Amino acid sequence: MRTIIEPFRIKMTEPIKLISRGSRKRLLKKAHYNVFLLDAESCCIDLLTDSGTGAMSTEQWAALMLGDESYAGSKSWKKFEATIKKITNMKHVLPTHQGRAAEGILAQTRVKKDDIIPNNSHFDTTRANVEFVGGQAVDMLCGEGFDIRTEAPFKGNMNINKLEKCIRENGPDKIPFCMITITNNTGGGQPVSMENIRSVKRTLKKYGIPLVIDACRFAENAYFIHEREEGYGDKSLLQIAQEIFSYADAATMSCKKDGLANIGGFLACNDDGWAVDFRNMLILREGFPTYGGLAGRDLEIISVGLMEALDYDYQVYRHATVEYLGKKLKRNNIPFVQPVGGHAVFLDARAFLPNIPELQYPGIGLVNALYIEGGVRSVELGSVMFGKFDDNGKEMPSTLELVRLAFPRRVYTQSHFDYLAEVIEKVWSKRDRISGYRITYQPKFLRHFTCHFEPIQ
Ligand SMILES: Cc1ncc(COP(=O)(O)O)c(C=O)c1O
């Protein structure tokens, strides 16, 4: 059959509503033109994030009832630990309430002032955690990753030459670990090849530098490897994931993505010394090592979700939904990052709105236009999110100005995507009328979440 179907049927529904255009305008103004500050019920299609927004399966709801809420050594913890060990084969597993808690523990225990942490592209929370303790978060994405029109298969790859140069120039002592993010969320949700992960590991090994995988979308990345990399077509997604983790010394994970859970995360590692430091910090910040920041029922849900994310049919459907929107945009020559990522379509705001100067935030212009046009909530990944300043405090534009339409897992159906395509096409047809924005308030860290804007008339 040509038609790829959702590999599930719907047992429970949640109403969504499109409020009037006037209300959308009024509420956006009240939210200081920052969609993070809107109430969820005023958004019709909410694509702000794929993080923690998925629908649970019947198996997960059933598992929830098995939650053992004992403080220490619960049955749910045993399952959680066993599942993560099965996938990662790592010696130590530490549950955290979400990904950034794992990143925080990693940064606070391993990064010193002026240390350098290379990554293909740091996610905003990863960068913030490294910088918070005085480290430098350095991105080393491969060349194709910056070319948003090239149809290369693994645009999330790390630039090995840059990595090697960085190690030679700064010395391995300045680099307590190197990270690689799979898939590369900030660079368009693009995958990293097994060959690249292997090469990164080979390079680091020469200098004794550990590799930490930011594994949030490890199952989506495994699917891309299965489909695109020679030698992996006959392997299961679990086998591919196991090989990925075999090259890592540690991993941080937000189970809100490929854990198919609404909350949760973990930190895993092989080194006994690291584990002692992590555990001490975990107890201080999150909770006892057998529950971390989670309830027993969450541990159960994640144990099921991690394995469901590795189900091949689920990944076929998931990728088909993202590609479906991509094809519609391509037909209308609407600029977006190609090929589409694993969890999202990234519109190219710079090409969409060439009249808006970079520091008047074309991404925010586009995000707000999508909300006003059709109640669609998206997110800017550009000069606001990655706000960079030179040594004199002058703001610098981001390399890419993207708007991410992130797809919650197992939530929206094909007609929702048809509607979404229609909204984007409408905004595209009126693009000359969209204005830029200026920032009127911003906090010190992670400014995009809470900053205020006003339109430049
Ligand atoms: C690549 C990546 N790393 C880390 C995180 C942080 O995870 P969390 O939101 O659970 O703290 C995210 C969240 O979106 C992410 O996409």
Side-chain angles (χ1 to χ4, degrees):
M1 288 298 179
R2 267 182 299 113
T3 308
I4 296 169
I5 59 166
E6 285 87 356
F8 52 81
R9 54 187 180 179
I10 297 166
K11 203 171 201 164
M12 199 186 288
T13 64
E14 186 180 12
I16 51 175
K17 207 167 106 194
L18 180 63
I19 57 172
S20 72
R21 191 182 191 90
S23 300
R24 298 198 293 273
K25 279 188 168 170
R26 185 174 50 79
L27 292 172
L28 188 61
K29 186 173 178 194
K30 201 168 150 223
H32 304 281
Y33 299 97
N34 183 346
V35 292
F36 276 103
L37 304 179
L38 285 170
D39 286 342
E41 66 181 352
S42 34
C43 303
C44 179
I45 305 281
D46 200 347
L47 307 181
L48 186 66
T49 177
D50 64 320
S51 178
T53 52
M56 293 207 297
S57 66
T58 47
E59 295 290 330
Q60 284 179 296
W61 281 108
L64 181 145
M65 294 306 294
L66 297 175
D68 174 354
E69 305 303 342
S70 306
Y71 190 92
S74 72
K75 279 188 278 186
S76 305
W77 153 250
K78 293 277 172 207
K79 265 188 226 168
F80 180 86
E81 187 191 32
T83 307
I84 294 161
K85 283 192 170 175
K86 179 175 173 176
I87 298 170
T88 66
N89 198 28
M90 284 194 195
K91 201 167 162 196
H92 305 282
V93 177
L94 298 97
T96 61
H97 80 277
Q98 61 182 93
R100 71 198 66 186
E103 293 161 6
I105 292 168
L106 176 71
Q108 282 164 37
T109 54
R110 305 255 72 84
V111 182
K112 296 187 302 301
K113 191 171 176 317
D114 298 328
D115 276 352
I116 293 166
I117 309 299
N119 200 330
N120 46 350
S121 304
H122 286 84
F123 184 65
D124 60 357
T125 58
T126 327
R127 172 176 297 282
N129 271 303
V130 168
E131 290 176 352
F132 188 68
V133 293
Q136 284 179 55
V138 185
D139 292 345
M140 296 183 182
L141 187 60
C142 66
E144 308 93 87
F146 295 102
D147 181 351
I148 52 190
R149 305 275 173 272
T150 309
E151 286 268 354
F154 291 103
K155 291 169 74 173
N157 282 354
M158 184 111 162
N159 183 325
I160 306 287
N161 293 337
K162 269 196 187 163
L163 175 64
E164 181 112 39
K165 189 162 172 265
C166 170
I167 301 171
R168 288 229 181 99
E169 281 175 6
N170 297 286
D173 291 348
K174 277 262 163 244
I175 306 175
F177 57 87
C178 165
M179 292 189 82
I180 191 153
T181 305
I182 59 171
T183 57
N184 187 30
N185 186 5
T186 49
Q190 300 293 323
V192 180
S193 70
M194 194 72 88
E195 172 51 32
N196 190 252
I197 298 172
R198 219 179 284 126
S199 304
V200 169
K201 179 65 186 174
R202 210 179 299 126
T203 307
L204 296 174
K205 210 171 170 187
K206 279 195 285 180
Y207 301 95
I209 300 170
L211 173 62
V212 180
I213 293 193
D214 177 339
C216 293
R217 298 176 182 83
F218 76 99
E220 288 172 8
N221 204 100
Y223 176 80
F224 277 119
I225 290 174
H226 182 278
E227 299 300 296
R228 296 181 182 174
E229 193 163 349
E230 224 188 299
Y232 290 93
D234 292 336
K235 298 224 153 106
S236 70
L237 300 188
L238 175 61
Q239 286 171 324
I240 296 173
Q242 286 166 335
E243 184 178 340
I244 293 174
F245 288 112
S246 73
Y247 302 119
D249 299 279
T252 57
M253 173 73 186
S254 167
C255 296
K256 300 170 76 175
K257 285 83 171 173
D258 279 350
L260 297 178
N262 301 120
I263 197 70
F266 65 80
L267 181 57
C269 69
N270 284 323
D271 186 275
D272 296 340
W274 281 32
V276 170
D277 294 344
F278 291 167
R279 215 168 279 129
N280 287 335
M281 191 62 81
L282 185 81
I283 292 172
L284 187 68
R285 301 256 178 256
E286 294 282 289
F288 191 73
T290 65
Y291 73 85
L294 296 169
R297 53 182 166 273
D298 297 323
L299 299 170
E300 292 280 348
I301 287 164
I302 294 166
S303 307
V304 177
L306 287 167
M307 297 312 292
E308 286 183 352
L310 287 167
D311 177 68
Y312 183 71
D313 290 343
Y314 159 73
Q315 287 294 344
V316 169
Y317 137 78
R318 169 110 180 116
H319 288 258
T321 57
V322 188
E323 274 165 25
Y324 182 73
L325 181 67
K327 278 188 193 137
K328 280 180 175 274
L329 299 180
K330 208 167 185 175
R331 233 175 278 143
N332 288 288
N333 293 320
I334 295 172
F336 66 100
V337 177
Q338 293 180 44
V340 288
H343 66 295
V345 168
F346 291 70
L347 298 174
D348 177 3
R350 192 175 276 146
F352 205 112
L353 299 171
N355 339 343
I356 301 184
E358 283 154 329
L359 292 177
Q360 290 182 15
Y361 315 123
I364 297 296
L366 183 50
V367 164
N368 287 342
L370 291 169
Y371 178 69
I372 290 169
E373 195 57 47
V376 171
R377 178 153 68 168
S378 55
V379 67
E380 185 249 28
L381 274 82
S383 294
V384 175
M385 183 179 278
F386 305 117
K388 287 189 194 134
F389 297 85
D390 69 11
D391 294 342
N392 303 316
K394 188 166 166 274
E395 189 171 354
M396 313 282 286
S398 167
T399 323
L400 300 175
E401 296 288 345
L402 305 178
V403 166
R404 188 185 71 182
L405 304 158
F407 295 0
R409 294 169 178 80
R410 307 188 287 209
V411 169
Y412 293 114
T413 64
Q414 191 164 349
S415 69
H416 293 117
F417 290 111
D418 288 333
Y419 172 82
L420 171 64
E422 201 179 322
V423 172
I424 300 170
E425 283 158 27
K426 274 248 173 77
V427 172
W428 176 242
S429 70
K430 299 177 183 176
R431 60 193 180 280
D432 296 346
R433 282 179 258 162
I434 297 171
S435 65
Y437 285 81
R438 71 169 67 85
I439 293 179
T440 56
Y441 156 77
Q442 57 183 307
K444 196 165 170 211
F445 293 106
L446 298 172
R447 65 178 181 171
H448 56 288
F449 287 128
T450 54
C451 68
H452 296 175
F453 301 98
E454 69 183 10
I456 300 170
Q457 302 301 346

